[in-house]
Amino acid sequence: MAIYHLSVSNVSRASGSKATATLSYISGRRVHDERRGETYDYGRKERVLRVGTLLPEGAPAEFADPAVLFNAVELHETGRTARPAKKIVVALPREFTPRQRVQALEEYIRENLNADGYAATYAIHEDREGNNPHAHILVANRQIDPATGGWARLKQRMEYVLDERGERVPLIDPETGRQKTDKRGRRQWKRTSVSLNPLDRKAKLKALRESWANTCNARLDETARIDHRSLEDQGSDLEPTIHEGYAARAIERAGGVSERCQTNREIRRSNSLLTAIRTELGRIFDRLGELFAAKIRQLRQRQARPEPAREPNWRYFEGDARRQLEADKADHTAAIRGKLMDARADVGNREEWWRSHGTEEHEAAKQIIDVARAASREARDANIFKRGRLLRNAEQVAGEQSEKLRGAVPWLEDTDIPADWDQANRFRMRTTKAIYDHDMQPRTRLVAELERRLEQAERAESERPSPEQVKALALRMAEQRAQAENPTQDTKRPAPSGDEPLDLSEPEDWGEASPFESRQAPRTKADLLNEIRQRTDRLTGQREAEQRQIDPWSAQPPQRRGHGR
């Protein structure tokens, strides 16, 4: 599976590293350092798969040689603490082909380094076993001016040194121990020179990391995508692994146990267990949600739908249904047998018609072929002096008549009429048979299809109807009988879904008039309250009775309100 790795480091003289030595290490080539007069050759040639150099716009052509490029930057940087180059190491996804590795690297360098004026050399490596594909990118740490082709001037500025609280650090006089002041009495603060090289900016480094992830993901499948963000930035609480390093892996390859590798194995085991627990919890919660939603739907349907109607007594109609099915099979077989007899009779009648009349296509083809036959017969019966001319004429006539035959019978496959008399006679017989077969084909195909269907129908007629077929027909008979006996019953009425709007209209059992709309003889307030309470209790009892019919196990004994309040 693809992993993400990108690290950036400085080639700094202060730490004893040199751009030419680093170039020799990553490229596996001998490199001579012109500034120091030393030659470096670190070997490892068998692990270097490809080396390439990419230059920005306006760079000198000789910089295409990486030894010339990095000798030039070493000679230009004169400071003891100069950083002539930067080294970027990236992990190449194992899913990449060798061509995709080169394409991804060169696209990344052009878009992120060459576009800003930096020249770079890359080298693709593998380990001794052919695994761990990665690349080293050595970048000249100074931009190239496209106007002059020389090294651009690095800009610097002075900034105040800030402490951990973000406040300026005072400049202390070592003799007095107090903060220094200038001639005007203004206090002095520590300042430092800051390089404005884009590669030294934190925003540029973040952009380099994100761009490498995007470059790889554009060529990876969705299931193998990589992410440049840390686990903390991704919002994950998985524990990150630690850097193992070459020495730790060498211990493992030698059969030992490295402390760093062992720590990473424990971290991966813990993360795998945590991921599995989360996945299982997610499935459990999803299942609980589905069960809860199904139970809610079941309860709503149970409350809203009336008691299901009983299934009709279909056993009473079982014998009639079986006999009806057997009769339907017999009728179906008889109908197919009648169609087959008609189709066979049609074939016989058509054959008789052919013998006496033929068809328009047959007559047209016969006349066309006879013209060519006449010319070939004339050539056959001619003497030796005329035979050559008449043979050529017969060939010409045969070609012309072939064109007419193609127009008259366009579906005919063989339309080339021979110029020889005997062959023309045989062609005429073949054409007649082809036209006959073409004309009879729909009828013979229909006869074959009806014979096949009749065989299937006779086989099905010999078999007894299945119990499912008998029950389905008997149920329909029972429902038809019930509908005929009670035509007012609406058997197709849809069951309530539970989502119908509530009927807020006034109940029909208020009597002659509702107490709220009564305009009869005046009543006292106590009489109205007593009547309302009685009607409310009666309606409450009716609703409880209906509830017991829907779900008798959930019905509770009615609790009557006290009337003494």
Side-chain angles (χ1 to χ4, degrees), residues 138-171:
L138 190 61
V139 187
N141 201 19
R142 187 178 284 268
Q143 295 163 302
I144 295 176
D145 188 350
T148 63
W151 299 109
R153 182 178 179 182
L154 287 180
K155 296 181 180 180
Q156 296 182 344
R157 69 180 180 189
M158 300 300 293
E159 291 185 355
Y160 288 108
V161 177
L162 304 179
D163 58 12
E164 62 276 3
R165 295 176 297 178
E167 298 180 355
R168 291 179 295 179
V169 177
L171 187 62

Side-chain angles (χ1 to χ4, degrees), residues 530-542:
N530 188 28
E531 186 174 354
I532 291 173
R533 188 177 294 111
Q534 292 176 0
R535 294 182 183 276
T536 302
D537 292 341
R538 185 167 67 252
L539 290 176
T540 303
Q542 290 177 357

Side-chain angles (χ1 to χ4, degrees), residues 340 443-453:
L340 178 60
R443 295 168 175 80
T444 56
R445 188 185 297 116
L446 177 60
V447 170
E449 175 65 19
L450 290 174
E451 289 176 347
R452 184 186 64 80
R453 291 170 56 186

Side-chain angles (χ1 to χ4, degrees), residues 323-334:
R323 287 187 291 273
Q324 180 66 40
L325 289 172
E326 293 175 351
D328 291 343
K329 289 183 179 180
D331 293 343
H332 180 63
T333 304

Side-chain angles (χ1 to χ4, degrees), residues 84-376:
K86 287 186 183 293
K87 185 171 68 171
I88 304 174
V89 181
V90 295
L92 295 170
R94 295 183 179 180
E95 292 81 359
F96 278 2
T97 62
R99 181 180 179 85
Q100 287 177 322
R101 293 175 182 176
V102 176
Q103 290 176 346
L105 267 176
E106 293 189 350
E107 177 184 332
Y108 177 74
I109 293 173
R110 289 193 184 95
E111 293 182 357
N112 295 275
L113 300 173
N114 294 160
D116 291 339
Y118 294 99
T121 295
Y122 68 87
I124 300 177
H125 289 190
E126 284 184 348
D127 60 13
R128 191 171 300 171
E129 290 77 20
N131 299 320
N132 187 26
H134 61 280
H136 297 261
I137 305 173
L138 190 61
V139 187
N141 201 19
R142 187 178 284 268
Q143 295 163 302
I144 295 176
D145 188 350
T148 63
W151 299 109
R153 182 178 179 182
L154 287 180
K155 296 181 180 180
Q156 296 182 344
R157 69 180 180 189
M158 300 300 293
E159 291 185 355
Y160 288 108
V161 177
L162 304 179
D163 58 12
E164 62 276 3
R165 295 176 297 178
E167 298 180 355
R168 291 179 295 179
V169 177
L171 187 62
I172 304 299
D173 189 347
E175 297 180 358
T176 62
R178 298 180 180 179
Q179 185 176 2
K180 289 184 177 181
T181 57
D182 60 7
K183 295 180 179 180
R184 298 183 179 180
R186 293 177 297 187
R187 290 179 294 177
Q188 299 296 303
W189 308 91
K190 282 187 178 181
R191 294 195 296 175
T192 183
S193 176
V194 177
S195 171
L196 297 182
N197 185 4
L199 286 180
D200 292 331
R201 298 176 185 173
K202 189 175 182 180
K204 179 63 176 179
L205 297 180
K206 289 184 177 180
L208 288 174
R209 292 180 56 82
E210 182 177 0
S211 178
W212 177 244
N214 295 337
T215 302
C216 293
N217 289 335
R219 294 168 172 82
L220 288 173
D221 187 67
E222 291 185 359
T223 58
R225 298 293 176 85
I226 59 178
D227 198 326
H228 67 286
R229 298 173 299 172
S230 64
L231 292 175
E232 182 179 359
D233 292 340
Q234 296 178 34
S236 173
D237 55 0
L238 296 178
E239 184 180 359
T241 57
I242 63 176
H243 180 66
E244 295 177 353
Y246 177 83
R249 293 174 184 171
I251 295 174
E252 294 277 333
R253 283 196 298 268
V257 178
S258 168
E259 181 180 353
R260 285 181 167 270
C261 294
Q262 182 63 25
T263 301
N264 277 344
R265 281 192 287 268
E266 294 175 357
I267 291 174
R268 293 189 186 98
R269 191 181 305 113
S270 174
N271 288 341
S272 178
L273 179 61
L274 180 59
T275 302
I277 292 174
R278 284 178 175 171
T279 303
E280 188 64 26
L281 286 176
R283 284 198 293 265
I284 292 174
F285 285 129
D286 291 343
R287 182 58 181 160
L288 286 176
E290 293 174 359
L291 293 175
F292 183 75
K295 189 64 177 178
I296 293 297
R297 288 195 299 269
Q298 181 181 2
L299 291 175
R300 288 178 177 174
Q301 293 173 0
R302 190 175 181 182
Q303 293 176 359
R305 136 179 109 217
E307 184 179 358
R310 294 181 180 179
E311 186 181 66
N313 185 14
W314 61 274
R315 292 286 184 183
Y316 180 78
F317 299 91
E318 185 176 3
D320 293 340
R322 182 175 288 105
R323 287 187 291 273
Q324 180 66 40
L325 289 172
E326 293 175 351
D328 291 343
K329 289 183 179 180
D331 293 343
H332 180 63
T333 304
I336 295 178
R337 189 176 290 112
K339 292 181 181 179
L340 178 60
M341 294 176 61
D342 293 342
R344 288 174 175 170
D346 182 47
V347 170
N349 295 335
R350 191 64 182 176
E351 289 177 349
E352 291 294 333
W353 172 266
W354 246 95
R355 294 190 186 98
S356 58
H357 297 85
T359 61
E360 294 182 0
E361 288 184 341
H362 174 251
E363 291 298 328
K366 185 172 64 174
Q367 292 177 8
I368 293 172
I369 297 173
D370 287 346
V371 173
R373 287 175 65 240
S376 61

